[in-house]
Amino acid sequence: MYLFDTNAVIYFLSSGVLFGLTLFTYHSFIIFIPLFTLSLLASRYKRIRKRLFFFITPFILFLSVSLTSSYLNSSAKFTTTSIFNNEQIVYERVDNFRKDTKEINFLFDKIHSRYFALPYHFLQNYLLSFSPEFLFDKGGEKLVHNLEGFGNLYLVDSLLIIVGLLGIFYFREKNKKLIITWILIAQVSCALTTDAPNSTRLFVLMPALLLLSSYGIWTIFSSLGKRGFGKIIICVLVLTYI
């Protein structure tokens, strides 16, 4: 493509606008979208650097407006839900340990501090987002965000996700880095809150997992369908989901 190819300009401008508009749909996207776009641009920088201006300009404009409006209108909500403003976390991770320990040495005192408590809690929240209980069993703790007794995905999806994950590496899928990056970044915004894992805040994770699940179906079908098992596989999958 040439630098000022009309189609390229339209694509990059449209992409910047759509990514920018997504920032206004939900609070989680204010963190996810910038991280995701940075990783996306970094992985394709050599190919798109000459046309990057047409994406960055509208995206930065929308990002600035989004951050400003979020700061002015949602600062109170962030204060109540963020782990950085929750003294209970510091109490559980630091003060409680110190109270139960008779002798506190220098190393213990340095480890169990506010600077340890918050990263530890963030990491715990992050890993809980991958827990089978959250994904496939019962979802998050708030029933208002979940169907009682159901996870965010079907149990059969766990098998298909594993197969899909193996498949994208086995078949050397060119977009595998994009899917993996999507999955790794999606939990960050939710892990910064006190009620993680939260199904609503982790909604951004679900499309990536469904893509892996779909790729798992394609992997099974492409491996066994050629041997005459195609119709059997379709029937089994349909009956399983029903």
Side-chain angles (χ1 to χ4, degrees), residues 38-237:
L38 280 175
S39 63
L40 192 62
L41 296 177
S43 63
R44 291 162 169 78
Y45 178 74
K46 291 183 179 180
R47 294 174 55 189
I48 66 175
R49 66 181 185 274
K50 294 182 179 179
R51 295 175 292 275
L52 195 56
F53 171 80
F54 300 108
F55 172 85
I56 289 294
T57 302
F59 180 74
I60 292 296
L61 176 62
F62 281 109
L63 179 61
S64 301
V65 175
S66 175
L67 290 175
T68 302
S69 62
S70 297
Y71 176 78
L72 294 176
N73 300 323
S74 304
S75 57
K77 180 177 176 63
F78 178 78
T79 300
T80 56
T81 59
S82 170
I83 62 175
F84 299 107
N85 300 291
N86 193 298
E87 293 299 326
Q88 185 65 25
I89 294 175
V90 177
Y91 172 77
E92 291 177 357
R93 302 297 183 194
V94 181
D95 299 335
N96 224 13
F97 279 104
R98 290 176 173 176
K99 183 174 63 176
D100 294 338
T101 306
K102 295 180 180 179
E103 297 181 2
I104 300 178
N105 57 45
F106 177 79
L107 181 61
F108 184 91
D109 185 63
K110 288 297 182 183
I111 293 177
H112 289 283
S113 64
R114 178 183 292 269
Y115 303 106
F116 167 82
L118 296 179
Y120 180 88
H121 199 78
F122 171 84
L123 182 60
Q124 176 181 271
N125 287 348
Y126 184 89
L127 294 177
L128 283 174
S129 301
F130 290 106
S131 67
E133 182 181 35
F134 170 72
L135 292 175
F136 308 107
D137 186 15
K138 66 176 185 179
E141 296 296 329
K142 291 187 175 182
L143 292 180
V144 69
H145 297 152
N146 304 276
L147 290 174
E148 187 174 2
F150 286 87
N152 292 285
L153 296 167
Y154 292 115
L155 188 58
V156 66
D157 286 319
S158 61
L159 173 63
L160 296 175
I161 288 172
I162 293 173
V163 174
L165 191 60
L166 295 174
I168 62 174
F169 285 97
Y170 179 80
F171 291 107
R172 298 180 180 180
E173 176 62 44
K174 63 179 181 180
N175 289 318
K176 61 179 180 293
K177 291 182 179 179
L178 176 64
I179 300 296
I180 299 301
T181 301
W182 186 343
I183 292 173
L184 293 177
I185 292 177
Q187 287 87 340
V188 173
S189 56
C190 184
L192 293 171
T193 60
T194 56
D195 58 346
N198 183 294
S199 296
T200 303
R201 295 192 183 100
L202 278 171
F203 183 75
V204 66
L205 171 65
M206 298 307 153
L209 295 181
L210 290 175
L211 284 172
L212 277 182
S213 180
S214 301
Y215 201 92
I217 294 176
W218 179 86
T219 301
I220 294 173
F221 193 83
S222 62
S223 301
L224 301 178
K226 296 178 181 179
R227 302 179 183 179
F229 296 105
K231 293 182 179 180
I232 296 176
I233 294 171
I234 292 175
C235 291
V236 169
L237 285 172

Side-chain angles (χ1 to χ4, degrees), residues 9-28:
V9 172
I10 292 174
Y11 292 150
F12 276 79
L13 282 175
S14 301
S15 181
V17 170
L18 292 174
F19 269 110
L21 289 174
T22 306
L23 296 167
F24 295 91
T25 58
Y26 193 65
H27 299 293
S28 296

